[in-house]
Amino acid sequence: MAKYSVVDKGECIACGSCGSAAPEIFEYDGEGLAEVIYEGDNNQGLAAIPDDMEDELQEASDSCPTSCIKIQDAPFN
């Protein structure tokens, strides 16, 4: 089952762990904060992240020191 993700930029400290764990899912914006880029999502939480990328997504979330990566089974609104 696909997952959806967003980054709470208010909590992000730009440590780089998510980009290292899942570079196809996370990148850094002009301010140096992480955001979901998969399928052009622009951190909206609307792009379905496929099952075969779930391990990378979970690793990124688990390695985040501020727990700012949110993951759920349905798109974010």
Side-chain angles (χ1 to χ4, degrees):
M1 180 170 174
K3 299 289 185 185
Y4 299 83
S5 183
V6 295
V7 175
D8 179 347
K9 291 186 178 195
E11 298 293 320
C12 179
I13 60 170
C15 70
S17 63
C18 62
S20 294
E24 294 178 30
I25 301 172
F26 300 98
E27 183 57 66
Y28 301 92
D29 65 13
E31 296 177 15
L33 300 175
E35 65 182 359
V36 176
I37 59 156
Y38 185 74
E39 295 287 320
D41 188 72
N42 296 319
N43 206 48
Q44 297 179 61
L46 302 176
I49 300 170
D51 293 342
D52 65 346
M53 296 177 79
E54 190 173 337
D55 287 345
E56 291 89 350
L57 177 62
Q58 192 61 56
E59 182 180 339
S61 178
D62 291 346
S63 67
C64 179
T66 63
S67 300
C68 68
I69 298 172
K70 309 303 178 199
I71 301 171
Q72 63 185 36
D73 293 334
F76 287 79
N77 292 335

